[in-house]
Amino acid sequence: MKKECVGMLLAGGEGKRLGLLTKTIAKPAVHFGGKYRIIDFTLSNCSNSRIHTVGVLTQYSPMLLNKHIGIGKPWDLDRQEDGVSILSPYTAKKGGNWYQGTADAISQNIHYIDQYDPEYVLVISGDHIYQMNYDKLIEHHKEKKSEATISVIEVPWEEASRFGILNTKENLEIYEFDEKPSNPKSNLASMGIYIFNWKTLRKYLTDDSQSEDSSHDFGKDIIPAMLNDKLPLYAYRFQGYWKDVGTIQSYWEANMDLLEEDLSLSLNNKEWRTYSHDTNYPPHFIDQNAVVQNSLVNSGCWISGQVTNSILSERIDVGKDSTIHESILHPAVRVGNNCTIKRAIIMENVSIPDGVTIDGTQYEEPVVIDEENVLEFIK
Amino acid sequence: MDSLMGLINIEHEHDFLEELTYFRCGAAAPFAGRYRLIDFTLSNMVNSGVEEVAIFTNHKYRSLMDHIGTGADWELAKRHGGLFILPPDWNDPTDISRGDLRHFHNNRDYFHRSKANHVIISGSQFISNTIYKKVFDYHLERDADVTCISTNVDDFKPEHISQLRIEHNEDGWVNNFTNDQQNPHIFTGIYIIKKDVLLDLVDQCIAFHKDHFFFDGIKSNLDKLNIQFFNYNGYSAFVNSVESFYRHNMNLLKPENYRSLFFKNQFIRTKISNEPPAKYRESSNVTESMLANGCVIDGEVSSSVLFRGVRVNKGAKVKNSIVMQRCTIEEGVYLENVILDKDVHITAGQTFIGSKEKPFVVAKRKEI
């Protein structure tokens, strides 16, 4: 069955720099924004952009991620003929390998894409927070008669050397890809979102998989090889909120960004909903002396203390006279009475007994608390 | 093996909620921040392992159908069992049945098709979170034809006046249903009945031109039926008037009631939505309230129940009120003892004050 476009969602990364957050789960499955997991943003973009064929490449610690994706129901990807498919590394007659890089993950699944005989393949990743209509990217790609189009976002010049920078002509044709340049010539950063003509990409992937000195990466190998062959590659300017949540600091910041009043990304936007699993917890309860300001609170919570500038997932208890400030609480966290929590990320099911103080302002990054290291704070 | 099938019979329930039931039946009235009245009994059935549930309804059922849909959110859209909304569809030219007997007569195949040999029958006005398994075990153990669930009321309120009271001997056999206002042992309207007994009684009622299955089938045959009762002691509420509807919503703002209705047993299921977590802005001031997802709060809210997607703007005050889905309350509004139905828009600067006994009710989609 022919499909115009197949989405390939890279979700296998370990997310080393997220420390404890990814100790047992893959980065795309980390809780985010009080209700979601990181990958929900990308899956919802697919759903809202009517990309109905999505292969999700999982590898690192995938149990919860696979369970979360399931048959794709929250994103309307539970479909009869296509929908979502989880593509994990496998063995076959000729042996098998872990995915060696972003390009290798796609190469090993060429047969999956071929089933749909698509014109285009959209390559996206499951660790970015953004709301984007991929249809506009595809339109742009068609208009420019491009072989590959990369979505870019303008970053502040002083930060440009932290990104993969695309140097383009005035018509947005790309002539050079600069990975983390010390002297950037442009401030257009690659968002890791690519659209390729499948025929062309298929050839480059096959060649790349033969090459022994390749790192099998889109940014490092495939795009440079295409540029080298003078293929027409274009950039697509994305306007809106986009954040890579690769570090604890950026994960915390992206959560806090949701509290901004004028953020272009809105969870309340009915035209572009972000979907996730919805659980059947009752409305949350705000007690007599509670204070809740500038915060997100999900269902099933019970709040007796003070919550400011924080993100609370479902089923959380905050006891009397406790203060939660600039913190992110994952599901089913229990905070006793008289506790103080600042700039902390408290992971699922952690119980904090009465009178404990956790102050993340004294560390370089917000402090992440799990069921083990919480003991260090309990005297 | 003995098993249960479910029936929610709302044929004889009135549209008791004034403006709130102008366009929907009572069973579909929103309750407790994100639910509809019918969710409680439906969830209790599902949580008790009942795999098929039929709903006998006769009017204003559009919103009920919209809410329940295929039953998927109650895990009733499965290969085994299912959810059957059965509105009036009378095509049998020989049909002489009346009242709720018409439902039983015209949907007899629902009972025949099922392998279950007992039926749990309920209305929608008794609110509780319970599992019927113990009742069913007891029903089987006593080999009763009918087992009625009862509850003891220590504080009589107007909603209890019309409820039947149970009289029984020391062995638990029910010998009368009365309306003795002094008797605190109240019938909840929920009972388990052997399927073959049910079908026999249906035939008998139809032959005698009767129109109310419980009164004519069960209450009139007390001498022939073995009826047990099972007393339920957890948190519960009868909701059958605007006043009791309002009071029981407010009662859930007492911590012990909230905890026992929502956290004692399994969770009450309802239609899934995709609202984000509630957003409290810098100037929000919320106390003693229950809020569902999707709310955005800039103003002041105290002792109130806010349903999904309610917007309370800066300087607005909401007190002792129930605000249903997607209402917008503009700047400077003051609401006290008010019930706003879905999608109501209160424009800036307005003041509405009702009383606890007679809350001010605003119908769906009004802009004031």
PDB file of all heavy atoms in Angstrom, chain B residues 30 33 250 290 292 295 301 304-312 318-329 335 338-344 346:
ATOM      1  N   PRO B  30     -23.495  16.191  34.867  1.00  0.00           N
ATOM      2  CA  PRO B  30     -22.108  16.231  35.351  1.00  0.00           C
ATOM      3  C   PRO B  30     -22.075  16.257  36.875  1.00  0.00           C
ATOM      4  O   PRO B  30     -22.933  16.872  37.517  1.00  0.00           O
ATOM      5  CB  PRO B  30     -21.570  17.545  34.786  1.00  0.00           C
ATOM      6  CG  PRO B  30     -22.460  17.859  33.628  1.00  0.00           C
ATOM      7  CD  PRO B  30     -23.807  17.353  34.026  1.00  0.00           C
ATOM      8  N   GLY B  33     -16.752  17.274  39.355  1.00  0.00           N
ATOM      9  CA  GLY B  33     -15.578  17.807  38.674  1.00  0.00           C
ATOM     10  C   GLY B  33     -15.225  17.188  37.355  1.00  0.00           C
ATOM     11  O   GLY B  33     -14.614  17.836  36.510  1.00  0.00           O
ATOM     12  N   MET B 250     -20.700  19.706  47.153  1.00  0.00           N
ATOM     13  CA  MET B 250     -20.006  20.459  48.196  1.00  0.00           C
ATOM     14  C   MET B 250     -19.433  19.542  49.276  1.00  0.00           C
ATOM     15  O   MET B 250     -18.356  19.787  49.798  1.00  0.00           O
ATOM     16  CB  MET B 250     -20.956  21.477  48.843  1.00  0.00           C
ATOM     17  CG  MET B 250     -21.340  22.607  47.913  1.00  0.00           C
ATOM     18  SD  MET B 250     -19.862  23.540  47.448  1.00  0.00           S
ATOM     19  CE  MET B 250     -20.159  23.814  45.726  1.00  0.00           C
ATOM     20  N   MET B 290     -11.949  21.638  44.395  1.00  0.00           N
ATOM     21  CA  MET B 290     -11.616  20.495  43.587  1.00  0.00           C
ATOM     22  C   MET B 290     -11.568  20.982  42.146  1.00  0.00           C
ATOM     23  O   MET B 290     -12.533  21.586  41.680  1.00  0.00           O
ATOM     24  CB  MET B 290     -12.783  19.521  43.734  1.00  0.00           C
ATOM     25  CG  MET B 290     -12.436  18.111  43.808  1.00  0.00           C
ATOM     26  SD  MET B 290     -13.886  17.243  44.444  1.00  0.00           S
ATOM     27  CE  MET B 290     -14.627  16.771  42.940  1.00  0.00           C
ATOM     28  N   ALA B 292     -10.528  20.128  37.985  1.00  0.00           N
ATOM     29  CA  ALA B 292     -10.173  19.122  36.992  1.00  0.00           C
ATOM     30  C   ALA B 292      -9.129  19.704  36.041  1.00  0.00           C
ATOM     31  O   ALA B 292      -8.828  20.898  36.076  1.00  0.00           O
ATOM     32  CB  ALA B 292     -11.408  18.689  36.229  1.00  0.00           C
ATOM     33  N   CYS B 295      -8.155  23.487  33.490  1.00  0.00           N
ATOM     34  CA  CYS B 295      -8.554  24.782  34.051  1.00  0.00           C
ATOM     35  C   CYS B 295      -7.377  25.753  33.968  1.00  0.00           C
ATOM     36  O   CYS B 295      -6.227  25.351  34.062  1.00  0.00           O
ATOM     37  CB  CYS B 295      -8.960  24.640  35.521  1.00  0.00           C
ATOM     38  SG  CYS B 295     -10.525  23.794  35.766  1.00  0.00           S
ATOM     39  N   VAL B 301     -10.720  31.324  43.915  1.00  0.00           N
ATOM     40  CA  VAL B 301     -11.695  30.231  43.961  1.00  0.00           C
ATOM     41  C   VAL B 301     -11.695  29.657  45.371  1.00  0.00           C
ATOM     42  O   VAL B 301     -10.636  29.291  45.884  1.00  0.00           O
ATOM     43  CB  VAL B 301     -11.319  29.115  42.958  1.00  0.00           C
ATOM     44  CG1 VAL B 301     -12.317  27.969  43.037  1.00  0.00           C
ATOM     45  CG2 VAL B 301     -11.249  29.653  41.528  1.00  0.00           C
ATOM     46  N   SER B 304     -15.212  25.394  46.007  1.00  0.00           N
ATOM     47  CA  SER B 304     -15.931  25.194  44.747  1.00  0.00           C
ATOM     48  C   SER B 304     -15.432  23.967  44.002  1.00  0.00           C
ATOM     49  O   SER B 304     -14.354  23.446  44.284  1.00  0.00           O
ATOM     50  CB  SER B 304     -15.774  26.423  43.852  1.00  0.00           C
ATOM     51  OG  SER B 304     -16.413  27.526  44.455  1.00  0.00           O
ATOM     52  N   VAL B 305     -16.263  23.524  43.061  1.00  0.00           N
ATOM     53  CA  VAL B 305     -15.919  22.388  42.211  1.00  0.00           C
ATOM     54  C   VAL B 305     -15.824  22.893  40.785  1.00  0.00           C
ATOM     55  O   VAL B 305     -16.808  23.408  40.239  1.00  0.00           O
ATOM     56  CB  VAL B 305     -16.997  21.289  42.316  1.00  0.00           C
ATOM     57  CG1 VAL B 305     -16.677  20.135  41.383  1.00  0.00           C
ATOM     58  CG2 VAL B 305     -17.136  20.795  43.754  1.00  0.00           C
ATOM     59  N   LEU B 306     -14.648  22.783  40.189  1.00  0.00           N
ATOM     60  CA  LEU B 306     -14.455  23.250  38.810  1.00  0.00           C
ATOM     61  C   LEU B 306     -14.204  22.058  37.893  1.00  0.00           C
ATOM     62  O   LEU B 306     -13.295  21.264  38.126  1.00  0.00           O
ATOM     63  CB  LEU B 306     -13.259  24.221  38.729  1.00  0.00           C
ATOM     64  CG  LEU B 306     -13.574  25.705  38.939  1.00  0.00           C
ATOM     65  CD1 LEU B 306     -14.302  25.951  40.236  1.00  0.00           C
ATOM     66  CD2 LEU B 306     -12.315  26.546  38.850  1.00  0.00           C
ATOM     67  N   PHE B 307     -15.018  21.953  36.852  1.00  0.00           N
ATOM     68  CA  PHE B 307     -14.885  20.866  35.887  1.00  0.00           C
ATOM     69  C   PHE B 307     -13.772  21.177  34.889  1.00  0.00           C
ATOM     70  O   PHE B 307     -13.106  22.203  34.965  1.00  0.00           O
ATOM     71  CB  PHE B 307     -16.218  20.651  35.156  1.00  0.00           C
ATOM     72  CG  PHE B 307     -17.233  19.914  35.985  1.00  0.00           C
ATOM     73  CD1 PHE B 307     -17.819  20.516  37.083  1.00  0.00           C
ATOM     74  CD2 PHE B 307     -17.604  18.620  35.672  1.00  0.00           C
ATOM     75  CE1 PHE B 307     -18.756  19.841  37.863  1.00  0.00           C
ATOM     76  CE2 PHE B 307     -18.546  17.928  36.436  1.00  0.00           C
ATOM     77  CZ  PHE B 307     -19.117  18.541  37.535  1.00  0.00           C
ATOM     78  N   ARG B 308     -13.597  20.290  33.900  1.00  0.00           N
ATOM     79  CA  ARG B 308     -12.474  20.412  32.978  1.00  0.00           C
ATOM     80  C   ARG B 308     -12.568  21.672  32.114  1.00  0.00           C
ATOM     81  O   ARG B 308     -13.627  22.020  31.616  1.00  0.00           O
ATOM     82  CB  ARG B 308     -12.403  19.170  32.078  1.00  0.00           C
ATOM     83  CG  ARG B 308     -12.097  17.920  32.896  1.00  0.00           C
ATOM     84  CD  ARG B 308     -11.820  16.705  32.041  1.00  0.00           C
ATOM     85  NE  ARG B 308     -13.009  15.956  31.705  1.00  0.00           N
ATOM     86  CZ  ARG B 308     -13.030  14.626  31.573  1.00  0.00           C
ATOM     87  NH1 ARG B 308     -11.943  13.916  31.745  1.00  0.00           N
ATOM     88  NH2 ARG B 308     -14.129  14.006  31.238  1.00  0.00           N
ATOM     89  N   GLY B 309     -11.436  22.336  31.986  1.00  0.00           N
ATOM     90  CA  GLY B 309     -11.323  23.438  31.040  1.00  0.00           C
ATOM     91  C   GLY B 309     -12.001  24.734  31.440  1.00  0.00           C
ATOM     92  O   GLY B 309     -12.355  25.534  30.576  1.00  0.00           O
ATOM     93  N   VAL B 310     -12.162  24.976  32.740  1.00  0.00           N
ATOM     94  CA  VAL B 310     -12.786  26.229  33.187  1.00  0.00           C
ATOM     95  C   VAL B 310     -11.736  27.334  33.266  1.00  0.00           C
ATOM     96  O   VAL B 310     -10.601  27.104  33.667  1.00  0.00           O
ATOM     97  CB  VAL B 310     -13.448  26.039  34.575  1.00  0.00           C
ATOM     98  CG1 VAL B 310     -13.872  27.374  35.172  1.00  0.00           C
ATOM     99  CG2 VAL B 310     -14.639  25.096  34.468  1.00  0.00           C
ATOM    100  N   ARG B 311     -12.139  28.542  32.862  1.00  0.00           N
ATOM    101  CA  ARG B 311     -11.227  29.684  32.865  1.00  0.00           C
ATOM    102  C   ARG B 311     -11.744  30.688  33.892  1.00  0.00           C
ATOM    103  O   ARG B 311     -12.892  31.144  33.794  1.00  0.00           O
ATOM    104  CB  ARG B 311     -11.274  30.269  31.446  1.00  0.00           C
ATOM    105  CG  ARG B 311     -10.344  31.380  31.147  1.00  0.00           C
ATOM    106  CD  ARG B 311      -9.052  30.817  30.568  1.00  0.00           C
ATOM    107  NE  ARG B 311      -8.054  31.873  30.354  1.00  0.00           N
ATOM    108  CZ  ARG B 311      -7.473  32.543  31.350  1.00  0.00           C
ATOM    109  NH1 ARG B 311      -7.795  32.322  32.594  1.00  0.00           N
ATOM    110  NH2 ARG B 311      -6.569  33.470  31.068  1.00  0.00           N
ATOM    111  N   VAL B 312     -10.941  31.020  34.901  1.00  0.00           N
ATOM    112  CA  VAL B 312     -11.324  32.053  35.876  1.00  0.00           C
ATOM    113  C   VAL B 312     -10.325  33.193  35.755  1.00  0.00           C
ATOM    114  O   VAL B 312      -9.154  33.047  36.107  1.00  0.00           O
ATOM    115  CB  VAL B 312     -11.327  31.500  37.325  1.00  0.00           C
ATOM    116  CG1 VAL B 312     -11.726  32.599  38.313  1.00  0.00           C
ATOM    117  CG2 VAL B 312     -12.263  30.306  37.458  1.00  0.00           C
ATOM    118  N   VAL B 318     -14.977  33.113  42.808  1.00  0.00           N
ATOM    119  CA  VAL B 318     -15.938  32.019  42.725  1.00  0.00           C
ATOM    120  C   VAL B 318     -15.985  31.365  44.094  1.00  0.00           C
ATOM    121  O   VAL B 318     -14.966  30.906  44.604  1.00  0.00           O
ATOM    122  CB  VAL B 318     -15.494  30.984  41.670  1.00  0.00           C
ATOM    123  CG1 VAL B 318     -16.499  29.844  41.595  1.00  0.00           C
ATOM    124  CG2 VAL B 318     -15.328  31.641  40.313  1.00  0.00           C
ATOM    125  N   LYS B 319     -17.170  31.355  44.690  1.00  0.00           N
ATOM    126  CA  LYS B 319     -17.287  30.837  46.051  1.00  0.00           C
ATOM    127  C   LYS B 319     -18.465  29.882  46.146  1.00  0.00           C
ATOM    128  O   LYS B 319     -19.524  30.151  45.580  1.00  0.00           O
ATOM    129  CB  LYS B 319     -17.496  32.035  46.989  1.00  0.00           C
ATOM    130  CG  LYS B 319     -17.336  31.700  48.448  1.00  0.00           C
ATOM    131  CD  LYS B 319     -17.511  32.956  49.309  1.00  0.00           C
ATOM    132  CE  LYS B 319     -17.697  32.536  50.749  1.00  0.00           C
ATOM    133  NZ  LYS B 319     -18.084  33.668  51.594  1.00  0.00           N
ATOM    134  N   ASN B 320     -18.288  28.770  46.849  1.00  0.00           N
ATOM    135  CA  ASN B 320     -19.352  27.780  47.060  1.00  0.00           C
ATOM    136  C   ASN B 320     -20.112  27.461  45.767  1.00  0.00           C
ATOM    137  O   ASN B 320     -21.335  27.366  45.774  1.00  0.00           O
ATOM    138  CB  ASN B 320     -20.369  28.292  48.091  1.00  0.00           C
ATOM    139  CG  ASN B 320     -19.724  28.556  49.437  1.00  0.00           C
ATOM    140  OD1 ASN B 320     -18.699  27.968  49.749  1.00  0.00           O
ATOM    141  ND2 ASN B 320     -20.304  29.451  50.218  1.00  0.00           N
ATOM    142  N   SER B 321     -19.412  27.297  44.689  1.00  0.00           N
ATOM    143  CA  SER B 321     -20.096  27.124  43.407  1.00  0.00           C
ATOM    144  C   SER B 321     -19.622  25.882  42.664  1.00  0.00           C
ATOM    145  O   SER B 321     -18.571  25.316  42.970  1.00  0.00           O
ATOM    146  CB  SER B 321     -19.877  28.357  42.530  1.00  0.00           C
ATOM    147  OG  SER B 321     -20.513  29.467  43.118  1.00  0.00           O
ATOM    148  N   ILE B 322     -20.448  25.482  41.691  1.00  0.00           N
ATOM    149  CA  ILE B 322     -20.110  24.361  40.821  1.00  0.00           C
ATOM    150  C   ILE B 322     -20.031  24.915  39.403  1.00  0.00           C
ATOM    151  O   ILE B 322     -21.012  25.466  38.904  1.00  0.00           O
ATOM    152  CB  ILE B 322     -21.187  23.263  40.899  1.00  0.00           C
ATOM    153  CG1 ILE B 322     -21.308  22.752  42.335  1.00  0.00           C
ATOM    154  CG2 ILE B 322     -20.875  22.128  39.944  1.00  0.00           C
ATOM    155  CD1 ILE B 322     -22.540  21.893  42.566  1.00  0.00           C
ATOM    156  N   VAL B 323     -18.869  24.796  38.780  1.00  0.00           N
ATOM    157  CA  VAL B 323     -18.689  25.362  37.453  1.00  0.00           C
ATOM    158  C   VAL B 323     -18.331  24.234  36.498  1.00  0.00           C
ATOM    159  O   VAL B 323     -17.306  23.579  36.659  1.00  0.00           O
ATOM    160  CB  VAL B 323     -17.577  26.434  37.453  1.00  0.00           C
ATOM    161  CG1 VAL B 323     -17.476  27.086  36.090  1.00  0.00           C
ATOM    162  CG2 VAL B 323     -17.829  27.475  38.535  1.00  0.00           C
ATOM    163  N   MET B 324     -19.188  24.005  35.521  1.00  0.00           N
ATOM    164  CA  MET B 324     -19.000  22.836  34.647  1.00  0.00           C
ATOM    165  C   MET B 324     -18.101  23.129  33.454  1.00  0.00           C
ATOM    166  O   MET B 324     -17.618  24.248  33.289  1.00  0.00           O
ATOM    167  CB  MET B 324     -20.359  22.305  34.228  1.00  0.00           C
ATOM    168  CG  MET B 324     -21.101  21.774  35.456  1.00  0.00           C
ATOM    169  SD  MET B 324     -22.647  21.042  35.031  1.00  0.00           S
ATOM    170  CE  MET B 324     -23.310  20.752  36.672  1.00  0.00           C
ATOM    171  N   GLN B 325     -17.898  22.103  32.634  1.00  0.00           N
ATOM    172  CA  GLN B 325     -16.885  22.116  31.581  1.00  0.00           C
ATOM    173  C   GLN B 325     -16.864  23.405  30.756  1.00  0.00           C
ATOM    174  O   GLN B 325     -17.875  23.886  30.281  1.00  0.00           O
ATOM    175  CB  GLN B 325     -17.095  20.955  30.584  1.00  0.00           C
ATOM    176  CG  GLN B 325     -17.036  19.580  31.165  1.00  0.00           C
ATOM    177  CD  GLN B 325     -18.400  19.108  31.597  1.00  0.00           C
ATOM    178  OE1 GLN B 325     -19.002  19.683  32.513  1.00  0.00           O
ATOM    179  NE2 GLN B 325     -18.910  18.072  30.962  1.00  0.00           N
ATOM    180  N   ARG B 326     -15.650  23.890  30.541  1.00  0.00           N
ATOM    181  CA  ARG B 326     -15.339  24.962  29.595  1.00  0.00           C
ATOM    182  C   ARG B 326     -16.099  26.272  29.836  1.00  0.00           C
ATOM    183  O   ARG B 326     -16.334  27.019  28.895  1.00  0.00           O
ATOM    184  CB  ARG B 326     -15.588  24.496  28.148  1.00  0.00           C
ATOM    185  CG  ARG B 326     -14.689  23.360  27.708  1.00  0.00           C
ATOM    186  CD  ARG B 326     -14.916  23.041  26.247  1.00  0.00           C
ATOM    187  NE  ARG B 326     -16.291  22.697  25.969  1.00  0.00           N
ATOM    188  CZ  ARG B 326     -16.788  21.459  26.058  1.00  0.00           C
ATOM    189  NH1 ARG B 326     -16.000  20.463  26.386  1.00  0.00           N
ATOM    190  NH2 ARG B 326     -18.052  21.235  25.808  1.00  0.00           N
ATOM    191  N   CYS B 327     -16.488  26.547  31.077  1.00  0.00           N
ATOM    192  CA  CYS B 327     -17.087  27.854  31.351  1.00  0.00           C
ATOM    193  C   CYS B 327     -15.976  28.895  31.399  1.00  0.00           C
ATOM    194  O   CYS B 327     -14.846  28.592  31.764  1.00  0.00           O
ATOM    195  CB  CYS B 327     -17.807  27.850  32.691  1.00  0.00           C
ATOM    196  SG  CYS B 327     -19.356  26.965  32.649  1.00  0.00           S
ATOM    197  N   THR B 328     -16.329  30.130  31.042  1.00  0.00           N
ATOM    198  CA  THR B 328     -15.369  31.224  31.175  1.00  0.00           C
ATOM    199  C   THR B 328     -15.958  32.257  32.115  1.00  0.00           C
ATOM    200  O   THR B 328     -17.099  32.688  31.945  1.00  0.00           O
ATOM    201  CB  THR B 328     -15.103  31.871  29.805  1.00  0.00           C
ATOM    202  OG1 THR B 328     -14.621  30.845  28.940  1.00  0.00           O
ATOM    203  CG2 THR B 328     -14.048  32.965  29.910  1.00  0.00           C
ATOM    204  N   ILE B 329     -15.171  32.634  33.110  1.00  0.00           N
ATOM    205  CA  ILE B 329     -15.611  33.636  34.073  1.00  0.00           C
ATOM    206  C   ILE B 329     -14.669  34.821  33.946  1.00  0.00           C
ATOM    207  O   ILE B 329     -13.479  34.721  34.243  1.00  0.00           O
ATOM    208  CB  ILE B 329     -15.607  33.040  35.493  1.00  0.00           C
ATOM    209  CG1 ILE B 329     -16.616  31.879  35.532  1.00  0.00           C
ATOM    210  CG2 ILE B 329     -15.939  34.096  36.518  1.00  0.00           C
ATOM    211  CD1 ILE B 329     -16.438  30.951  36.666  1.00  0.00           C
ATOM    212  N   LEU B 335     -19.283  35.142  41.981  1.00  0.00           N
ATOM    213  CA  LEU B 335     -20.271  34.057  41.989  1.00  0.00           C
ATOM    214  C   LEU B 335     -20.297  33.423  43.367  1.00  0.00           C
ATOM    215  O   LEU B 335     -19.252  33.088  43.925  1.00  0.00           O
ATOM    216  CB  LEU B 335     -19.899  32.971  40.973  1.00  0.00           C
ATOM    217  CG  LEU B 335     -19.744  33.351  39.505  1.00  0.00           C
ATOM    218  CD1 LEU B 335     -19.357  32.120  38.691  1.00  0.00           C
ATOM    219  CD2 LEU B 335     -21.033  33.951  38.959  1.00  0.00           C
ATOM    220  N   VAL B 338     -23.618  29.166  43.178  1.00  0.00           N
ATOM    221  CA  VAL B 338     -24.076  29.170  41.795  1.00  0.00           C
ATOM    222  C   VAL B 338     -23.715  27.833  41.146  1.00  0.00           C
ATOM    223  O   VAL B 338     -22.704  27.228  41.481  1.00  0.00           O
ATOM    224  CB  VAL B 338     -23.400  30.339  41.038  1.00  0.00           C
ATOM    225  CG1 VAL B 338     -23.570  30.198  39.545  1.00  0.00           C
ATOM    226  CG2 VAL B 338     -23.951  31.671  41.519  1.00  0.00           C
ATOM    227  N   ILE B 339     -24.575  27.355  40.257  1.00  0.00           N
ATOM    228  CA  ILE B 339     -24.221  26.203  39.424  1.00  0.00           C
ATOM    229  C   ILE B 339     -24.227  26.673  37.971  1.00  0.00           C
ATOM    230  O   ILE B 339     -25.261  27.123  37.467  1.00  0.00           O
ATOM    231  CB  ILE B 339     -25.234  25.042  39.579  1.00  0.00           C
ATOM    232  CG1 ILE B 339     -25.319  24.589  41.047  1.00  0.00           C
ATOM    233  CG2 ILE B 339     -24.847  23.874  38.693  1.00  0.00           C
ATOM    234  CD1 ILE B 339     -26.399  23.531  41.300  1.00  0.00           C
ATOM    235  N   LEU B 340     -23.085  26.609  37.313  1.00  0.00           N
ATOM    236  CA  LEU B 340     -23.033  26.950  35.888  1.00  0.00           C
ATOM    237  C   LEU B 340     -22.935  25.658  35.099  1.00  0.00           C
ATOM    238  O   LEU B 340     -22.017  24.870  35.314  1.00  0.00           O
ATOM    239  CB  LEU B 340     -21.803  27.804  35.559  1.00  0.00           C
ATOM    240  CG  LEU B 340     -21.588  29.125  36.293  1.00  0.00           C
ATOM    241  CD1 LEU B 340     -20.380  29.831  35.683  1.00  0.00           C
ATOM    242  CD2 LEU B 340     -22.826  30.010  36.184  1.00  0.00           C
ATOM    243  N   ASP B 341     -23.851  25.444  34.185  1.00  0.00           N
ATOM    244  CA  ASP B 341     -23.751  24.283  33.305  1.00  0.00           C
ATOM    245  C   ASP B 341     -22.644  24.549  32.277  1.00  0.00           C
ATOM    246  O   ASP B 341     -22.098  25.659  32.207  1.00  0.00           O
ATOM    247  CB  ASP B 341     -25.115  24.033  32.620  1.00  0.00           C
ATOM    248  CG  ASP B 341     -25.247  22.594  32.109  1.00  0.00           C
ATOM    249  OD1 ASP B 341     -24.219  21.898  31.993  1.00  0.00           O
ATOM    250  OD2 ASP B 341     -26.389  22.164  31.823  1.00  0.00           O
ATOM    251  N   LYS B 342     -22.332  23.528  31.457  1.00  0.00           N
ATOM    252  CA  LYS B 342     -21.252  23.604  30.465  1.00  0.00           C
ATOM    253  C   LYS B 342     -21.264  24.871  29.605  1.00  0.00           C
ATOM    254  O   LYS B 342     -22.319  25.381  29.257  1.00  0.00           O
ATOM    255  CB  LYS B 342     -21.409  22.445  29.477  1.00  0.00           C
ATOM    256  CG  LYS B 342     -20.934  21.137  29.961  1.00  0.00           C
ATOM    257  CD  LYS B 342     -21.466  20.041  29.063  1.00  0.00           C
ATOM    258  CE  LYS B 342     -20.786  20.055  27.702  1.00  0.00           C
ATOM    259  NZ  LYS B 342     -21.150  18.857  26.917  1.00  0.00           N
ATOM    260  N   ASP B 343     -20.074  25.310  29.208  1.00  0.00           N
ATOM    261  CA  ASP B 343     -19.908  26.349  28.185  1.00  0.00           C
ATOM    262  C   ASP B 343     -20.608  27.664  28.494  1.00  0.00           C
ATOM    263  O   ASP B 343     -20.973  28.399  27.575  1.00  0.00           O
ATOM    264  CB  ASP B 343     -20.419  25.855  26.807  1.00  0.00           C
ATOM    265  CG  ASP B 343     -19.640  24.666  26.313  1.00  0.00           C
ATOM    266  OD1 ASP B 343     -18.411  24.788  26.190  1.00  0.00           O
ATOM    267  OD2 ASP B 343     -20.251  23.605  26.063  1.00  0.00           O
ATOM    268  N   VAL B 344     -20.806  27.963  29.764  1.00  0.00           N
ATOM    269  CA  VAL B 344     -21.406  29.258  30.101  1.00  0.00           C
ATOM    270  C   VAL B 344     -20.317  30.317  30.113  1.00  0.00           C
ATOM    271  O   VAL B 344     -19.184  30.058  30.515  1.00  0.00           O
ATOM    272  CB  VAL B 344     -22.117  29.182  31.480  1.00  0.00           C
ATOM    273  CG1 VAL B 344     -22.474  30.570  31.985  1.00  0.00           C
ATOM    274  CG2 VAL B 344     -23.358  28.311  31.379  1.00  0.00           C
ATOM    275  N   ILE B 346     -19.627  34.043  31.568  1.00  0.00           N
ATOM    276  CA  ILE B 346     -20.078  35.146  32.425  1.00  0.00           C
ATOM    277  C   ILE B 346     -19.197  36.350  32.111  1.00  0.00           C
ATOM    278  O   ILE B 346     -17.988  36.318  32.352  1.00  0.00           O
ATOM    279  CB  ILE B 346     -19.954  34.787  33.922  1.00  0.00           C
ATOM    280  CG1 ILE B 346     -20.622  33.449  34.230  1.00  0.00           C
ATOM    281  CG2 ILE B 346     -20.500  35.918  34.789  1.00  0.00           C
ATOM    282  CD1 ILE B 346     -22.107  33.501  34.422  1.00  0.00           C
TER     283      ILE B 346
END
